[in-house]
Amino acid sequence: VGNDDGNDGEGSAGSKPVPTPPPARDAPAEVLPVPMLRVLGLSGDPLLEVEAQDDWTIGFIKQQVVQAQRVRCHPWQLKLQLGDQPLQDDNLLGDLERKDLTAVVVKESVAGVYAAFTCSILVLHENGRVAYGWYDDYWSSPIRESCGSIPTSFIVESERTTGDWKVEGMTLKMTAVEEDMDDSLRIEATVANSAKALKEGISEMILVAKLWHHFSGDSKEKSEPEEKTFYKIHEWPEES
C-alpha cells in the first residue's frame, strides 16, 4: 500500500537535501608593499624615484641615477649618502633605515696610475692612452708603497703607452701591450668605490678588471680572462 503523502517512505514529510558546501579556497597571499626609492640632489631636486627591491646595491642604484639622465656624470663620479653617512657600492638597500638618499657628484677622474697584485701597473692617461707593465715580483700590502718607484717611470715616460682606453656604457674598455712578455692585452673593467681600497691605494676608486692575454707565440688570445683588482696609487696633476 503506497503512502498518500507522496513520500517513498524515506525521511520525514517536507525534508530537503542538505546542500554540499563549496570547497574551501586558500586565503590570498599577503601582498607586501614595494619600497619607493628617492634619490635627491644637493639642491633637493629629485634625480630618481622608482619602486625598488631590497636586494638592490648602492652601485646598481648609482647606475640607475646616471641612466635617468637627470645628472651628467659617470657612475664612479657619484656618491650616495643616507643623511651624512656615505654609502659603499656593496651596501644593500634593504639594510638602510630609510629609502631617501642624497647624491653628491665628485670630480675625480678615472685617469691615473693603478697597481694590482701581485705585480701589475696600469696607467690611464687623460688623453685616452694606456700603458701596462708586469713585473716578476710579489708586492705586499699596502701596494702603493711596495711597488716602489716603478710607477714613476711610467708617468715620466709617456712614450711607453701602447694602447687606448674609452668608456662604453658602464664599462671601461682598454687595449695595451706588455712589451717584455710580448703580450697583447684586451681589458674590460668596471669602476667601483670601496672604503677598503684606501688600505692599498690613495682613493676609494678601484677597477675590477678582466684581462684577456694574447702572447706572441699563441695563435689567438686566451679564452679565459685573468681577473684583477686595480687600486689607484697616483692622480694626475690638475694642470696636466
Side-chain angles (χ1 to χ4, degrees), residues 182-195:
D182 201 5
D183 179 14
S184 297
L185 290 149
R186 180 170 61 89
I187 307 172
E188 294 186 2
T190 55
V191 185
N193 289 280
S194 172

Side-chain angles (χ1 to χ4, degrees), residues 11 19 42 55 73-74 101 124 131 133 135 150 152 164 167 183-184 194 197 218-219 224-225:
L42 287 177
D55 60 354
C73 68
H74 295 293
L101 308 181
L124 304 184
Y135 296 87
I150 288 175
T152 305
D164 300 282
V167 180
D183 179 14
S184 297
S194 172
D218 297 336
S219 59
E224 292 297 324

Side-chain angles (χ1 to χ4, degrees), residues 42-140:
L42 287 177
S43 62
D45 295 333
L47 304 179
L48 183 71
E49 292 183 278
V50 294
E51 292 183 348
Q53 302 297 326
D54 282 345
D55 60 354
W56 283 14
T57 64
I58 293 301
F60 177 75
I61 293 170
K62 286 163 58 174
Q63 294 180 16
Q64 302 305 302
V65 172
V66 172
Q67 290 176 348
Q69 298 185 344
R70 295 181 181 177
V71 58
R72 294 187 177 276
C73 68
H74 295 293
W76 60 82
Q77 295 175 312
L78 203 60
K79 302 282 188 182
L80 296 186
Q81 299 179 179
L82 179 62
D84 295 331
Q85 175 192 354
L87 301 173
Q88 302 301 315
D89 282 2
D90 57 357
N91 290 153
L92 292 176
L93 184 62
D95 294 337
L96 305 181
E97 295 178 359
R98 304 193 314 275
K99 306 299 189 254
D100 292 333
L101 308 181
T102 302
V104 180
V105 178
V106 296
K107 296 302 183 181
E108 182 177 2
S109 171
V110 73
V113 182
Y114 296 82
F117 293 107
T118 55
C119 50
S120 296
I121 293 288
L122 176 65
V123 184
L124 304 184
H125 288 273
E126 292 181 326
N127 62 3
R129 294 293 288 166
V130 174
Y132 182 87
W134 179 85
Y135 296 87
D136 189 11
D137 198 356
Y138 288 92
W139 296 333
S140 58

